[in-house]
Amino acid sequence: MAQSVLKVVDIKKSFAGVQALKGVSLEIKAGEIHCLAGENGSGKSTLIKIISGVYTPDEGQIIFGDKVYSKITPIEAIRNGIQVIYQDFSIFPNLSVMENLAFNEELANKRKLVNRKRMKKIAQEALAKINFDVDLNAKVGSLSVASKQLIAICRALMLNARLIIMDEPTTALTRKEVNALFNIILDLKKQGIATLFVSHKLDEVFEISERFTILRNGEKAAEGFTSELDNKKFTYYMTGREFEDKPFVPTNVSEDPVLSVENLSMNGFYENVNFSLHRGEILGITGLLGSGRTELALSLFGIMQADTGTIKIDGEPVKLDSPETAINHGIGYVPEDRLTEGLFLPQSIGDNIIVSELDKLSSRLGIIDRDKKKEEIRQWVDKLSIATPNPDNACSTLSGGNQQRVVLAKWLSRDLKVLVLNGPTMGVDIGSKHDIHQILRRLAEQGLGIIIISDDIPEILTNCSKILIMRNGRISAALTPDEADTQVLARYMM
Amino acid sequence: MKLQIKNISTAIKDIHIKRLLVIMVLWMIFMGIFRFDKFYTLINFQTMAAQFPEFGLMALGIMLCMISGGIDLSVVGVANFVAIASGQLLKIIAGGAGELNGFEILLVMLFGMAIGLAAGFFNGILVSKVKIPPILATLGSYELFRGIAIILTGGKAVSGLPIKYAETIAGKLFGLIPVQLLFFAAVVLILSYLLNRTTYGIKLYMLGTNATAAMFSGHRTERVLIQTYALSGICAALGGLIMLANYNSARADYGAVYTLQCVLIVVLGGVNPMGGKGRISGTVLAICVLQMLSSGINRFPEISSFYIPLFWGGVLLLVMVLNYYRENKQSQGGHKKAVISKYRIWVRKSG
Amino acid sequence: MNRIMKNLMQRNEFYISIAIVALSIAIQLRSGQFFTSNNIVDLLSALIVPGLFALGAFMVIVSGGVDVSFPALASLSMYATTRILVDTNYQGGILLPIVMSLCFGAILGAVNGVLIATFKLPPLIVTLGTSSVFKGIMQGVLNAVQITVIPPGMSSFGTAALFIATNPQSGLTSRMPVAFLALVIVLLIVYFVLQHTMYGRGLYAIGGNEVSAYRAGFNVWLIKFLLYVGVGMISSLAGLIRVCMMTQAHPTNMLGMEMMVIAGVVLGGTAITGGSGTLTGCMLGTILLVMVENSLILLGVPTFWQGFFLGVFIIVGMGISALQVSRAIKARGALTRRVQQ
């Protein structure tokens, strides 16, 4: 049995009366690849912050080898070999690769003056650890996401790390880059460095980790070897509920397509895209990051403009040059990042719902009909069962799933023809995800044309009636769900 | 839990207003005890009501821009530019005789407001299309408008205006209500209607809260920004026209302290400098409190009126420190909030 | 070679240099007076005070903040120093006044520092507030009026010349003030701090990403606090030098300079959002604006056109850099832009 690098015992932590962790224990052994999973609010980020010394636990112990702490500072965590790679990589985009790599060590050694020669040496050594080749004088902001991540990893390795915690490391990587990352993690394992991998993506958990811990509501829901885990168990541990996923069968498909895209190309992003969508269908578009899927979606909503090709709505060619025109043609868009692109969190739930149909609720002069507005809000809160005591409350008071419903309500109130959803359930917990899928199916049955863009393959397989796969800006395959499974999709994606 | 949040959120909305009310009442009591006969006179209140509209109007413009997430530091430049141009036009219209009728006054005012509109429109273009950060854009245009004003006058004051103009604009309705106050009240009513009852208002608040989401919601955010800066320009123009009447002259460097003072007013009135939050009632209250404080202090000849900026800046800093403690208490564990505000900063950075 | 050209074309410093050269040539052609020794000396001497202010403003902007209180801070500190020395009938040299004003500057700067670093309040609003407070203290508490006779030590420092330049044609002479050395020394110190100390790199790091800086182990609080203390000291020194050079203390005539100084810094390519910018650019931008202020008259442009040209320069300069930024973002595509944060 390998020696443990980190052990936390019975950690409790509460914020303003809300108990975020209710006695969680976790052990990570040297060289182990351990996956920490859990839904939003399950306490996994709190736990990581306690391990890295950012938060102080209310109760419990943190044990490094034979040293027992009841609380630690970030510096102590680093001295004990703990390194966290945050989702934003904690880099300085405005500074050079060399400085990004060398700062930590220079600061840890309490150096006051800059010695570029020494910093260069430190940086070169750091890059050598994973054989990463990059211009030391390049500004980090000009590098690709994957390179930024590698720089963060190099930096983490410098301070004799024994455990590297990676918070959702694959979110912005292409599949190729993910593979490269996994190879590095395996390489680290050979050097005896453990990795704690935080993720909610099932396939990744299965692919890379040896052991797992799943948190739910601040408690440990399960732990064990990944080889003993399957899809269904995983979902159950994460949510405490079981879901049955029946494939979606469209019932109310229109004869003529509501949206057709012909030979659409945008230089550098996608080319020669053709497809059509009928009312009542749910079309899935999948592909790796950088395959052009997001740009295609943005073009359908008028934020980016295609260079050539036609988009037809109900057979009529339309020119989509702004979100406003897209909306006027009956196209809605649920953005990828709900918090930053979809919602106005400090504003009221009600205003968030009606924000895209202001013209419908006002006179020509732009004067709002208050009764109509109130009625509209009430109606949508009811229809999508948004759990709130009062729609005047700020949107930030809602849970993730309810917030996603607000985004949906915003578009449904527009009486759309086509709804494009980019990653509709990203960051949404599994229960709400299920509910959202049900809502989408119901909408399709009522005659809405729906496009789901997602890299969550099970989501695409169970909810779509047609699947398009994009690779390097082209559609590499168009399948129906019964022709496709995870392997087939993956093959067309790479 | 949810109810609690709701209570807090309504409290936040009103806390600035409450605070200002407390300051105002305390001050009125204080003045009542120490200078009752000098403060509580009709003339004093009439004087106050004639003084604050000039900077009050500029503050309203800044408020609009701040709700949108920006700021307008050019208001004083616009006001002086408008005052000078209108003053010169007045002199031309009146000719040597200095005769002026009501229609001509109206014409001159429309002319001034048109200049304000154009200046605001220019700011709006710089901010929305050229994407210069609002602080810098309006700082630059302040210099520009001031520069034009100086060119128009050769650096001298415009004086010798037809007396009819000052008599009308700085006069009193029924010998009781200062006309300046009427202008201010009208603008307040129009703006509060715009903010609370029209789609423009909702779009403005949404834009200030999250510009990306506003764009994704199909709002023409550039247009909303241009409208906002244009409105601010009109407000500033009215402020300038009132200044012209109050001083019966115009100069490129009048009211230099107003820029800072207006920003202070707007922040004290509870408008969030990050955008998305703020009420017109708070701003109006802050304007009134400032005027009462400065008029009140003037009743104590032994105290220099130069203490006013000290006091005012001190109050602003104190209020912000208090806000810091209040928000910190609230947002413990409010990780989400921190993440969002971080993102918003980023959004701002990338313009 | 091509790469160097391309690199050069992307830098603001390049364009500012061109603008400076073009403006000087235009003035030279028009008046024949620009490249005369006394005009150059006059320009350099006019650069001292704005240059010092610009160095302070530059560091603040690099750290991701903005400071509009420095003219008020400098006015208060120079006024307090001069007042005390005049009232005590001080007859000594320049050393004590400098030490005093540095102390006042440090204390006043610390007020900004505490409010911004400890309470994490937005720098623009804080410095607007403290600028109001400083003005209030100066004019209210200290009852500031113009001081026309300043201690002899100060005036002799202000009028002392390194050398005197004479225009061979007109016979006009201009003195190169000793105070110019102050600008050079402060410039060298700031350069050293920014480029060769971890503190200076920390300023850039904070301006780039404050959270990352904290995680990397920078003492963000201390860096910011010391920054505002240091800027307070530099600004105070500038205020004192101005008093010495004018041989009188005018409490309000520095107020309002903040706009021009910040504009110069930003014109030189310093990103208002923090994290990037060079001292060269900062100084070039300031020089350009000082030229606009002081040399337009040689072009035959009436002085009252100064403000207009200043505004045009600011807007055009910032417009160009803003358009560059948005073009860069567009080129990288919407996707990478989002991921970048």
Side-chain angles (χ1 to χ4, degrees):
Chain A
M1 200 78 209
Q3 190 200 355
S4 79
V5 280
L6 165 78
K7 215 164 133 181
V8 294
V9 183
D10 207 21
I11 297 284
K12 289 182 185 157
K13 175 76 183 170
S14 55
F15 295 105
V18 181
Q19 189 117 29
L21 289 175
K22 307 170 186 165
V24 172
S25 303
L26 173 73
E27 182 177 4
I28 293 164
K29 300 200 162 57
E32 176 181 67
I33 302 173
H34 195 109
C35 176
L36 179 65
E39 307 229 309
N40 288 342
S42 62
K44 58 179 188 215
S45 50
T46 310
L47 183 61
I48 289 172
K49 286 198 173 140
I50 286 175
I51 295 172
S52 58
V54 178
Y55 289 162
T56 327
D58 300 338
E59 274 179 54
Q61 293 171 325
I62 303 160
I63 305 166
F64 300 106
D66 47 8
K67 285 176 278 181
V68 181
Y69 296 85
S70 62
K71 59 175 189 187
I72 51 167
T73 63
I75 303 280
E76 282 170 326
I78 291 170
R79 291 214 181 106
N80 282 292
I82 305 295
Q83 281 288 329
V84 184
I85 297 177
Y86 294 94
Q87 259 177 298
D88 62 0
F89 311 142
S90 273
I91 46 156
F92 305 103
N94 55 326
L95 298 177
S96 68
V97 171
M98 177 182 83
E99 287 185 308
N100 269 278
L101 286 170
F103 273 165
N104 288 35
E105 187 162 322
E106 294 288 281
L107 288 166
N109 291 329
K110 300 209 181 336
R111 297 251 159 75
K112 298 287 178 233
L113 295 181
V114 175
N115 178 339
R116 281 172 218 275
K117 228 170 166 179
R118 186 176 60 220
M119 283 171 77
K120 192 173 168 192
K121 208 171 133 237
I122 295 172
Q124 280 166 338
E125 277 169 18
L127 293 175
K129 291 201 176 173
I130 59 169
N131 290 324
F132 177 39
D133 187 26
V134 64
D135 177 9
L136 281 177
N137 293 318
K139 274 195 181 174
V140 170
S142 65
L143 303 178
S144 74
V145 184
S147 304
K148 286 178 191 156
Q149 188 174 43
L150 292 178
I151 284 169
I153 293 174
C154 290
R155 195 177 53 189
L157 291 173
M158 279 168 19
L159 298 163
N160 294 323
R162 282 187 290 160
L163 169 64
I164 295 190
I165 301 173
M166 297 191 188
D167 190 3
E168 305 268 2
T170 58
T171 319
L173 299 189
T174 65
R175 183 63 226 187
K176 220 167 121 191
E177 290 163 343
V178 170
N179 286 344
L181 175 68
F182 283 178
N183 283 333
I184 286 170
I185 292 178
L186 293 173
D187 210 46
L188 296 179
K189 181 184 165 62
K190 278 186 210 139
Q191 301 173 27
I193 299 168
T195 305
L196 180 63
F197 194 90
V198 182
S199 179
H200 63 260
K201 283 192 193 158
L202 247 172
D203 42 345
E204 288 172 6
V205 175
F206 289 127
E207 192 177 338
I208 187 76
S209 70
E210 301 159 329
R211 289 208 310 140
F212 69 89
T213 300
I214 295 176
L215 297 184
R216 187 170 73 225
N217 297 330
E219 286 172 289
K220 186 154 70 184
E223 67 177 329
F225 292 96
T226 316
S227 49
E228 292 161 9
L229 195 64
D230 66 23
N231 215 323
K232 219 167 167 183
K233 275 191 199 155
F234 182 79
T235 310
Y236 177 74
Y237 291 142
M238 294 274 279
T239 60
R241 285 159 70 186
E242 288 187 52
F243 300 98
E244 210 183 335
D245 280 330
K246 273 186 285 182
F248 169 67
V249 183
T251 50
N252 181 20
V253 178
S254 66
E255 223 162 89
D256 297 318
V258 59
L259 168 78
S260 40
V261 169
E262 292 164 13
N263 302 322
L264 208 64
S265 295
M266 183 176 176
N267 199 6
F269 293 108
Y270 55 82
E271 55 182 301
N272 215 9
V273 172
N274 285 287
F275 66 87
S276 62
L277 173 75
H278 296 250
R279 286 174 180 272
E281 277 185 331
I282 302 182
L283 171 72
I285 300 181
T286 186
L288 302 172
L289 197 97
S291 62
R293 56 185 166 120
T294 299
E295 289 78 6
L296 177 63
L298 291 176
S299 307
L300 291 178
F301 193 55
I303 288 177
M304 296 177 102
Q305 275 93 46
D307 301 323
T308 54
T310 1
I311 299 173
K312 287 181 181 168
I313 298 282
D314 285 332
E316 293 290 316
V318 291
K319 191 169 173 291
L320 303 174
D321 53 6
S322 72
E324 201 189 13
T325 48
I327 291 169
N328 289 338
H329 283 110
I331 301 173
Y333 178 80
V334 178
E336 203 166 0
D337 193 327
R338 186 181 60 239
L339 296 183
T340 54
E341 293 173 356
L343 285 173
F344 306 87
L345 287 173
Q347 302 291 347
S348 74
I349 297 165
D351 281 351
N352 268 285
I353 292 175
I354 53 122
V355 68
S356 284
E357 51 163 347
L358 291 170
D359 47 343
K360 243 174 62 186
L361 302 174
S362 58
S363 69
R364 296 194 75 140
L365 287 173
I367 295 155
I368 292 168
D369 183 333
R370 288 178 156 187
D371 295 332
K372 225 164 145 188
K373 174 180 156 189
K374 218 169 161 182
E375 172 56 26
E376 182 79 6
I377 292 168
R378 196 198 54 76
Q379 190 192 333
W380 285 104
V381 168
D382 283 356
K383 257 193 201 165
L384 296 183
S385 44
I386 294 165
T388 177
N390 182 352
D392 289 338
N393 287 354
C395 198
S396 53
T397 60
L398 293 176
S399 68
N402 277 304
Q403 287 180 359
Q404 189 67 313
R405 278 175 228 200
V406 171
V407 180
L408 275 180
K410 166 170 125 185
W411 289 116
L412 299 178
S413 60
R414 285 282 329 190
D415 231 351
L416 296 171
K417 294 173 183 162
V418 177
L419 181 61
V420 183
L421 301 104
N422 197 350
T425 56
M426 218 171 75
V428 170
D429 52 55
I430 298 182
S432 293
K433 192 168 168 176
H434 182 78
D435 297 343
I436 287 168
H437 289 155
Q438 295 311 312
I439 293 173
L440 292 179
R441 290 170 182 215
R442 210 165 58 227
L443 290 167
E445 272 156 29
Q446 288 163 9
L448 184 68
I450 295 178
I451 299 177
I452 295 180
I453 293 159
S454 174
D455 55 2
D456 181 343
I457 294 185
E459 171 171 60
I460 294 274
L461 284 173
T462 46
N463 293 297
C464 299
S465 49
K466 267 201 295 196
I467 300 168
L468 296 179
I469 302 149
M470 289 188 76
R471 182 175 59 199
N472 295 334
R474 288 171 172 278
I475 293 188
S476 58
L479 307 168
T480 58
D482 23 311
E483 300 169 331
D485 59 32
T486 316
Q487 275 78 36
V488 174
L489 286 188
R491 208 176 62 229
Y492 283 112
M493 280 161 81
M494 307 292 190
Chain B
M1 181 67 196
K2 282 210 174 107
L3 254 168
Q4 230 179 347
I5 290 169
K6 184 198 160 192
N7 285 341
I8 292 168
S9 78
T10 33
I12 295 169
K13 275 183 194 155
D14 288 335
I15 193 143
H16 297 92
I17 294 175
K18 250 188 257 166
R19 229 180 246 153
L20 285 167
L21 281 173
V22 170
I23 295 176
M24 186 149 119
V25 169
L26 286 178
W27 184 247
M28 288 178 85
I29 293 172
F30 178 82
M31 288 313 290
I33 295 171
F34 292 100
R35 286 291 186 279
F36 186 86
D37 47 334
K38 283 192 177 148
F39 190 77
Y40 289 95
T41 59
L42 179 63
I43 289 181
N44 186 39
F45 275 87
Q46 280 175 334
T47 314
M48 287 197 287
Q51 274 172 358
F52 77 73
E54 58 184 50
F55 65 83
L57 283 162
M58 297 180 210
L60 290 175
I62 293 183
M63 174 195 75
L64 292 176
C65 297
M66 227 188 239
I67 293 176
S68 82
I71 196 166
D72 186 352
L73 298 179
S74 73
V75 283
V76 176
V78 175
N80 285 321
F81 174 25
V82 167
I84 285 171
S86 309
Q88 290 177 332
L89 183 68
L90 273 176
K91 283 172 82 171
I92 294 168
I93 290 179
E99 294 293 323
L100 207 62
N101 63 34
F103 175 72
E104 284 163 342
I105 289 178
L106 185 70
L107 198 75
V108 169
M109 292 197 79
L110 287 176
F111 168 75
M113 283 162 72
I115 294 179
L117 174 75
F121 187 80
F122 179 69
N123 281 332
I125 296 282
L126 291 182
V127 171
S128 72
K129 300 273 185 193
V130 190
K131 299 195 196 314
I132 305 178
I135 295 185
L136 297 177
T138 55
L139 209 121
S141 65
Y142 166 78
E143 290 291 347
L144 185 71
F145 299 142
R146 203 177 81 101
I148 298 175
I150 293 176
I151 293 170
L152 283 177
T153 59
K156 291 187 280 289
V158 176
S159 53
L161 299 169
I163 194 72
K164 187 79 194 302
Y165 179 76
E167 273 174 7
T168 313
I169 306 295
K172 294 190 178 58
L173 187 69
F174 312 125
L176 182 71
I177 305 163
V179 178
Q180 299 99 316
L181 182 67
L182 295 178
F183 280 110
F184 181 74
V187 172
V188 166
L189 285 179
I190 293 170
L191 288 185
S192 74
Y193 190 80
L194 273 177
L195 288 183
N196 297 316
R197 299 294 293 275
T198 66
T199 55
Y200 166 74
I202 293 187
K203 285 178 184 170
L204 177 65
Y205 280 102
M206 293 299 180
L207 173 66
T209 309
N210 185 342
T212 320
M215 190 260 293
F216 273 102
S217 299
H219 295 177
R220 286 201 211 157
T221 51
E222 293 184 352
R223 201 163 93 173
V224 177
L225 274 180
I226 293 175
Q227 285 167 340
T228 305
Y229 283 88
L231 274 174
S232 173
I234 296 177
C235 289
L238 275 172
L241 288 166
I242 289 176
M243 269 164 71
L244 181 65
N246 280 357
Y247 304 132
N248 202 19
S249 67
R251 231 187 118 100
D253 49 9
Y254 275 164
V257 294
Y258 283 163
T259 314
L260 179 73
Q261 188 173 315
C262 290
V263 175
L264 299 184
I265 285 173
V266 174
V267 173
L268 275 184
V271 179
N272 185 344
M274 300 289 285
K277 211 190 260 173
R279 294 177 163 190
I280 198 165
S281 50
T283 306
V284 172
L285 201 57
I287 294 168
C288 296
V289 171
L290 173 72
Q291 183 62 49
M292 282 186 148
L293 286 174
S294 44
S295 293
I297 288 177
N298 281 338
R299 305 289 146 207
F300 295 89
E302 61 274 27
I303 298 174
S304 148
S305 64
F306 287 125
Y307 276 100
I308 295 170
L310 168 62
F311 181 80
W312 200 234
V315 170
L316 175 89
L317 295 172
L318 185 72
V319 163
M320 293 211 304
V321 171
L322 288 177
N323 284 354
Y324 166 81
Y325 280 116
R326 194 165 46 79
E327 271 166 32
N328 256 29
K329 225 186 324 177
Q330 256 170 41
S331 67
Q332 273 176 11
H335 177 65
K336 211 181 238 173
K337 199 172 158 191
V339 169
I340 290 155
S341 67
K342 206 179 94 203
Y343 188 84
R344 294 219 6 222
I345 290 167
W346 177 81
V347 166
R348 222 161 282 270
K349 280 190 175 185
S350 64
Chain C
M1 190 60 209
N2 220 340
R3 231 188 68 201
I4 298 171
M5 255 333 266
K6 214 173 145 192
N7 212 334
L8 212 58
M9 299 283 283
Q10 282 168 349
R11 303 185 68 112
N12 264 46
E13 289 94 327
F14 178 68
Y15 294 103
I16 293 288
S17 310
I18 289 182
I20 291 177
V21 171
L23 189 62
S24 16
I25 292 175
I27 296 170
Q28 176 68 22
L29 289 180
R30 181 75 197 246
S31 67
Q33 295 295 309
F34 187 84
F35 293 109
T36 56
S37 49
N38 74 315
N39 184 53
I40 301 282
V41 167
D42 280 343
L43 259 184
L44 290 177
S45 117
L47 180 68
I48 299 172
V49 173
L52 284 169
F53 280 145
L55 288 172
F58 172 73
M59 289 199 285
V60 174
I61 293 176
V62 162
S63 81
V66 63
D67 181 357
V68 293
S69 71
F70 57 84
L73 187 152
S75 302
L76 172 55
S77 138
M78 70 84 189
Y79 188 81
T81 306
T82 318
R83 179 87 274 164
I84 291 170
L85 292 175
V86 167
D87 289 357
T88 55
N89 199 14
Y90 175 74
Q91 297 295 328
I94 188 65
L95 199 64
L96 181 68
I98 290 183
V99 172
M100 275 175 73
S101 72
L102 287 179
C103 288
F104 283 130
I107 295 167
L108 299 177
V111 175
N112 280 335
V114 166
L115 288 166
I116 293 167
T118 310
F119 297 108
K120 302 182 176 68
L121 304 176
L124 174 70
I125 310 288
V126 166
T127 52
L128 276 172
T130 52
S131 139
S132 179
V133 169
F134 296 158
K135 236 181 291 174
I137 293 176
M138 179 174 63
Q139 294 181 295
V141 183
L142 300 183
N143 213 349
V145 289
Q146 195 165 346
I147 304 175
T148 46
V149 180
I150 63 169
M154 285 167 68
S155 48
S156 62
F157 169 73
T159 49
L162 286 174
F163 57 85
I164 294 173
T166 315
N167 186 331
Q169 281 122 45
S170 62
L172 290 172
T173 58
S174 298
R175 274 173 305 155
M176 182 63 162
V178 174
F180 190 76
L181 288 179
L183 175 62
V184 175
I185 293 169
V186 175
L187 178 64
L188 289 176
I189 295 176
V190 171
Y191 171 78
F192 179 77
V193 169
L194 286 179
Q195 292 303 321
H196 295 288
T197 67
M198 285 307 279
Y199 176 85
R201 301 321 289 165
L203 280 180
Y204 277 92
I206 290 177
N209 188 337
E210 193 173 326
V211 181
S212 303
Y214 171 76
R215 289 180 188 150
F218 283 109
N219 186 337
V220 173
W221 181 87
L222 191 68
I223 291 178
K224 282 194 179 177
F225 177 76
L226 288 181
L227 166 69
Y228 287 95
V229 171
V231 169
M233 290 165 73
I234 297 177
S235 310
S236 274
L237 182 64
L240 184 78
I241 287 176
R242 188 169 167 117
V243 174
C244 295
M245 286 172 64
M246 292 173 61
T247 64
Q248 51 169 294
H250 193 290
T252 55
N253 77 357
M254 274 188 287
L255 304 180
M257 270 180 84
E258 66 273 13
M259 304 236 178
M260 187 205 125
V261 169
I262 293 173
V265 172
V266 177
L267 216 51
T270 312
I272 190 77
T273 44
S276 76
T278 63
L279 268 178
T280 321
C282 158
M283 290 321 287
L284 287 176
T286 310
I287 289 171
L288 179 62
L289 291 193
V290 169
M291 275 173 68
V292 172
E293 273 214 321
N294 291 275
S295 300
L296 276 183
I297 195 153
L298 294 179
L299 255 185
V301 178
T303 40
F304 49 79
W305 279 74
Q306 269 174 21
F308 174 77
F309 279 106
L310 197 61
V312 170
F313 268 101
I314 297 172
I315 289 173
V316 171
M318 290 177 193
I320 290 174
S321 71
L323 286 176
Q324 270 173 348
V325 169
S326 57
R327 218 178 307 144
I329 289 175
K330 228 174 240 169
R332 255 183 282 144
L335 194 75
T336 36
R337 184 180 71 194
R338 218 199 57 255
V339 170
Q340 233 203 351
Q341 56 95 23

